[in-house]
Amino acid sequence: MKKLILFSLLFLVSCLSEERNTIKEAKNGFINLNQHSFQTDPFVALMGEWKFYWNTAPTNIQETNSDRILNLPNHWNGYQMEYGKISGFGHASFRLHIQLPDDLQETMALTVHEQDTSYTIYIDGKYYGGSGVPASNTNQFVPMVRSTIIVLPQQKNITIDLYVANYVHRKGGIWNDIVLSTYTKAESRLTKHKMNETILCSIFAFVGIFFLVMYFYNRDGRQTLGIFLFSLAVLLRTISTGERIVLEFIDLPYWILLRLEYLSWYWSAPLLYHYFYTIFPNEFSKKLGNVFYTLSAILTLGLILPPVYFTETASIYPIAFVLNGLFVLFYLFRAYQKNRMEAKPLLFGIGLILVGATNDVLHAEAIIHTTYIAPSTVVIFVFLQVFTFGRIVRQNIIKTLEFAEEQKQFSSSFSRFVPTEFLYHLGKDDIRQVDLGDQVQKRMTVLFADIRSFTEFSETLTPKENFDFLNSYLQRVGPIIRHNNGFIDKFIGDAVMALFPYNINDAVKAAVEMQEAIRLYNHHRANCGYIPIEVGIGIHTGNLTLGILGEHKRMEGTVISDAVNLASRIEGITKLFSSRIVISAETFIESSDTLGFHYRLLDRVNIKGKTESVFVVEVLDGYEPEKANRLISCLDDYTLSLDAYRREDFEEAKQGFASLLDKNPDDSVSRLFFERCKDALERSKLEFGTS
C-alpha cells in the first residue's frame, strides 16, 4: 500500500511539474523588467495594478495619470464607479506598460489563457490576436474560450492593451494569469498542457470502457457501473475545462461547451457518492445520496436557461460539492474503523480528490492562483480502484458464478461446521456427494496460529472461562482469515489452522491483521484486569492433499501434506526467536512486495522430521507500530550483522548485534544471535586454549 501511495504521488507530481511563474507586481499600469533574467526565470506573471477603462475599446483610450486601477487577475464584478458598482456584463480595456531588458536576443511572447468569454490583444495600438470577438454590444459580440500566444514586437518598451467583453457569463474580467516569456518557452508549455490533458482523457476513456465491459459481463457488480459513470463525468469535465482540448477536434459553440462543463461538474459528486454506496451499502446513507441526485437533477434542468443564470451556481454549488466530499470521507472513515475491505486506499484516494476539487474551485473563483489538479487526482483515484479492486472484483465474479447454486442448497448452520470452500476445492457441489476417500491435490498457503504458554495460562481458568476466552479470541481472528480470502480448516485446541487457496499475499496480510486485532484485544483485556496474550503465527506454501478421512459412520474433511507439518513447525520456531510472524523462504520468494510489508531473514533452522534445514523469514509488521518502525530503520545494519554471523565472523557479528540491541533492547532476534556469537567465541577460546 505504501509503495502504491508513493507511486501515486510521484505520478501527480510528474503530471503537474513545470517551471513556475515568477510574479511581477505592476504599479499604476507599469512594470520594469529591465533587470529581469528570462534565462533564470523564464515565465513572468504580469500581475498587479493594470489601468482599467470601463466600456472603452483600446482605440478610444485617453490615458491620464488619474486613470482607474484594477488588480489582475481579477473579475470586475462589484468595481465601484461614480454611478455605483458594475455587474459582470459589459466591455473594458486593461492597459500595461512594460520595459524589457536591453540585451534580449529571443523573440518574446504573451500567453493569455482562456478568460471567459472573449478578448483581444493590442500591442502599441495594433491588433495582434485573441479569442472570440469582444464588442460594445451583444449583436457584434462572439464568445469563445481558448488560450492564445501573442508574439511581441522586438522592442524595449511596449504597451499592452487587453480588451475583454462579457454578456453571457456571471463574471467578467481577467481571471487567469497573463504570462510573459520567450516564444519557444510559451509554445512548449502550452503544448505540454494540451498533451497532459490528452493523456488524462485517454486514461479516463480507457478505464471507463474497461469497467463498462466488466459490468456487461457481470450485471450484479454495480460498483463497476459506478466507476464507469464517474470516469465519464470526469472525462467530460477534463475536455471542457483547462485548455478545452475538445476544441482541437470539434468546433463546439460556446454555449454548448459551457453547458458541457457545468453538466459534468453537477454530476461528478453524486456519481462518486453512488460508487462508494455500491461498495459499502451498509455504511453509506442511501437517502443522503438521493438528496445529491435530486440537487444535480434540478441544476441540470437549469442548464436550459441562459448562461448568466446557471453560471451563478458556481458560487453556490461548491458548498454542496464539498459537503458531498466530506460525507464520503466520513462514511469511508467509518468503514475503515470497521475494517471493511480496501477502505484505506479509498480513504487516500478520496482525500486526494477532495484536495484537488477544492483547489480547482478556488482557482476558478480567482480566490487563489494555482492550476487545475483535480483531473490528475482523479486519475490516481481510478488507478487505485484498478489495482486494489481488480483482484477482488475478479474473485467475486468467479465466486458468484460458481457458488450461486451451492449457497442456495447449504444451510447456514451446516456451513459453520464444514467450510464450503473445502467442498469447492474437492470439486463437490453438495455435501451429499462427498464420499470416503475423495481427495484432490492443490497448492495452497497454510497458516498456523497458536497462543503461547496456553497450557499454563489455561490452568488458572475454570473450564467455562477457558471456553469463553477461546471463543472470544477466535471470534476476532476468524473473520480476518475469511476477510482475506482464506478459510479455517480446523481448530486444534487454542491453535488455528487456515488455508489460503488464491494468493500467498492473502495469508501474510491476514497474519498482520490478526496481530493488530490481538493488540486491540489485549487492550480490552487490560481494561478488564486480565493478563495479555501472545500469539505466534507460522506460514508455509506448498502442495497438499485435501480429502475425506475416517470410516463410513464418521468422516471428516482434512488436509494431509508435508507443507502442513512444516507450517506447524514454523509456528513453533516463533517461540525460539520470540517473533510474532515467521514464514518460510519459499513463501517469501513467491510473495509480492506490493502490499508494502517489511521482512528480515532469520536463519536456517532444523525442522523435526526434515533431513534438510529450512530458511525462515520474519514479517516485521507483526509487531507494534513503534517497535516495527525501529526494527525497519535498522534493517541494513541487521543484514550486515547476519551476514557476518553466517560467514562465522562472530566478533564482527557480535559487535553488530550489540549495536542493534543498544538501539532496540527488545529485539529478541538480535539478542538471540548476540548470545550465539558469545557462545561461539567462548568455544573458540576454549578450543584454542586446549590446542
Side-chain angles (χ1 to χ4, degrees), residues 393-637:
V393 171
R394 176 179 60 84
Q395 292 182 1
N396 287 339
I397 292 174
I398 294 173
K399 290 180 180 179
T400 299
L401 295 176
E402 296 182 357
F403 282 96
E405 194 63 32
E406 178 187 77
Q407 291 174 347
K408 293 179 183 178
Q409 298 176 6
F410 284 140
S411 65
S412 59
S413 59
F414 184 80
S415 64
R416 287 181 291 176
F417 291 92
V418 178
T420 55
E421 293 90 344
F422 193 96
L423 294 174
Y424 166 71
H425 289 289
L426 270 180
K428 304 298 181 182
D429 298 325
D430 195 312
I431 189 63
R432 293 170 295 183
Q433 300 175 3
V434 172
D435 200 1
L436 189 65
D438 288 340
Q439 59 181 278
V440 65
Q441 290 193 355
K442 293 277 186 178
R443 184 171 179 81
M444 295 186 181
T445 300
V446 185
L447 179 149
F448 265 93
D450 191 27
I451 301 175
R452 290 178 183 160
S453 304
F454 177 72
T455 302
E456 296 83 350
F457 172 74
S458 63
E459 290 176 352
T460 64
L461 305 176
T462 65
K464 182 181 184 305
E465 288 173 336
N466 263 314
F467 271 90
D468 290 343
F469 159 70
L470 284 175
N471 286 330
S472 177
Y473 158 68
L474 295 173
Q475 284 175 0
R476 285 167 168 80
V477 300
I480 294 175
I481 292 171
R482 291 189 294 275
H483 179 75
N484 287 283
N485 307 308
F487 66 92
I488 297 173
D489 178 67
K490 59 173 61 69
F491 299 113
I492 312 169
D494 62 301
V496 177
M497 173 183 167
L499 303 175
F500 293 83
Y502 299 112
N503 195 317
I504 292 174
N505 297 314
D506 293 335
V508 180
K509 185 178 178 184
V512 173
E513 291 181 6
M514 286 168 66
Q515 293 292 357
E516 291 176 359
I518 291 165
R519 286 195 289 273
L520 292 175
Y521 182 42
N522 281 334
H523 180 72
H524 170 71
R525 290 178 60 81
N527 292 336
C528 298
Y530 300 137
I531 62 174
I533 64 171
E534 289 189 11
V535 175
I537 300 176
I539 300 173
H540 177 62
T541 304
N543 297 319
L544 44 81
T545 302
L546 291 86
I548 305 301
L549 189 69
E551 47 93 15
H552 288 287
K553 293 296 182 180
R554 175 67 172 91
M555 294 185 294
E556 182 183 51
T558 189
V559 179
I560 300 175
S561 171
D562 181 60
V564 176
N565 297 330
L566 186 53
S568 176
R569 302 299 182 189
I570 290 174
E571 183 279 318
I573 291 173
T574 62
K575 301 174 185 177
L576 172 65
F577 291 98
S578 296
S579 299
R580 299 290 172 80
I581 303 173
V582 175
I583 66 177
S584 67
E586 293 179 53
T587 299
F588 171 72
I589 292 171
E590 293 186 40
S591 65
S592 170
D593 63 352
T594 56
L595 293 178
F597 294 139
H598 302 85
Y599 308 85
R600 65 176 176 181
L601 181 66
L602 293 178
D603 197 7
R604 181 188 288 273
V605 296
N606 294 319
I607 302 294
K608 185 178 180 181
K610 298 281 290 186
T611 57
E612 296 183 359
S613 56
V614 176
F615 273 113
V616 289
V617 177
E618 182 183 28
V619 182
L620 297 179
D621 301 83
Y623 292 109
E624 297 80 0
E626 181 182 352
K627 180 177 179 180
N629 290 334
R630 284 189 281 109
L631 294 177
I632 292 167
S633 65
C634 298
L635 265 177
D636 291 339
D637 294 336

Side-chain angles (χ1 to χ4, degrees), residues 246-260:
V246 67
L247 296 178
E248 301 292 330
F249 307 96
I250 305 174
D251 190 16
L252 291 177
Y254 173 82
W255 63 272
I256 292 180
L257 189 64
L258 190 63
R259 284 171 171 83
L260 185 64

Side-chain angles (χ1 to χ4, degrees), residues 268-279:
S268 57
L271 288 175
L272 181 63
Y273 187 95
H274 170 77
Y275 168 62
F276 285 114
Y277 172 76
T278 60
I279 301 175

Side-chain angles (χ1 to χ4, degrees), residues 142-392:
V142 178
M144 182 181 293
V145 282
R146 183 170 288 176
S147 299
T148 306
I149 296 178
I150 303 296
V151 179
L152 300 180
Q154 292 185 327
Q155 56 192 51
K156 180 178 179 181
N157 297 295
I158 60 174
T159 298
I160 300 174
D161 288 325
L162 185 56
Y163 184 41
V164 182
N166 172 51
Y167 298 100
V168 294
H169 204 275
R170 77 189 193 285
K171 289 186 176 182
I174 303 299
W175 54 5
N176 274 324
D177 290 345
I178 312 298
V179 181
L180 179 66
S181 65
T182 63
Y183 174 74
T184 55
K185 286 285 187 179
E187 188 177 42
S188 175
R189 175 189 265 192
L190 186 60
T191 301
K192 182 179 179 181
H193 283 181
K194 292 182 178 181
M195 287 180 62
N196 283 345
E197 293 188 8
T198 302
I199 292 172
L200 292 177
C201 290
S202 301
I203 293 173
F204 291 135
F206 172 78
V207 171
I209 294 172
F210 172 77
F211 280 103
L212 180 63
V213 171
M214 289 185 64
Y215 172 72
F216 282 123
Y217 276 101
N218 179 30
R219 297 297 180 90
D220 293 331
R222 295 186 301 162
Q223 65 270 23
T224 56
L225 182 61
I227 195 67
F228 160 72
L229 293 174
F230 177 67
S231 299
L232 178 61
V234 179
L235 172 62
L236 295 177
R237 178 80 178 162
T238 306
I239 65 175
S240 59
T241 57
E243 296 302 331
R244 291 173 165 84
I245 59 172
V246 67
L247 296 178
E248 301 292 330
F249 307 96
I250 305 174
D251 190 16
L252 291 177
Y254 173 82
W255 63 272
I256 292 180
L257 189 64
L258 190 63
R259 284 171 171 83
L260 185 64
E261 173 187 345
Y262 275 74
L263 178 67
S264 61
W265 187 36
Y266 291 155
W267 284 101
S268 57
L271 288 175
L272 181 63
Y273 187 95
H274 170 77
Y275 168 62
F276 285 114
Y277 172 76
T278 60
I279 301 175
F280 305 108
N282 295 327
E283 278 69 40
F284 278 67
S285 169
K286 185 177 182 180
K287 292 183 179 179
L288 184 63
N290 291 335
V291 171
F292 289 115
Y293 297 149
T294 303
L295 176 62
S296 295
I298 294 173
L299 292 172
T300 301
L301 290 175
L303 293 178
I304 64 176
L305 300 173
V308 65
Y309 296 108
F310 68 75
T311 55
E312 286 293 338
T313 61
S315 300
I316 303 172
Y317 185 67
I319 300 174
F321 191 89
V322 172
L323 280 176
N324 180 89
L326 292 176
F327 276 119
V328 169
L329 202 63
F330 168 74
Y331 288 131
L332 268 181
F333 183 73
R334 192 163 68 175
Y336 170 72
Q337 288 182 315
K338 295 180 180 180
N339 293 323
R340 293 292 189 261
M341 185 178 296
E342 307 300 344
K344 184 185 291 186
L346 287 174
L347 264 175
F348 171 73
I350 193 62
L352 275 182
I353 288 180
L354 201 57
V355 170
T358 303
N359 171 86
D360 285 14
V361 169
L362 295 177
H363 176 68
E365 291 296 306
I367 298 174
I368 62 175
H369 303 292
T370 55
T371 185
Y372 290 107
I373 66 171
S376 298
T377 61
V378 174
V379 167
I380 296 174
F381 170 78
V382 169
F383 270 113
L384 282 173
Q385 313 321 300
V386 174
F387 285 116
T388 60
F389 282 90
R391 178 175 59 88
I392 298 171

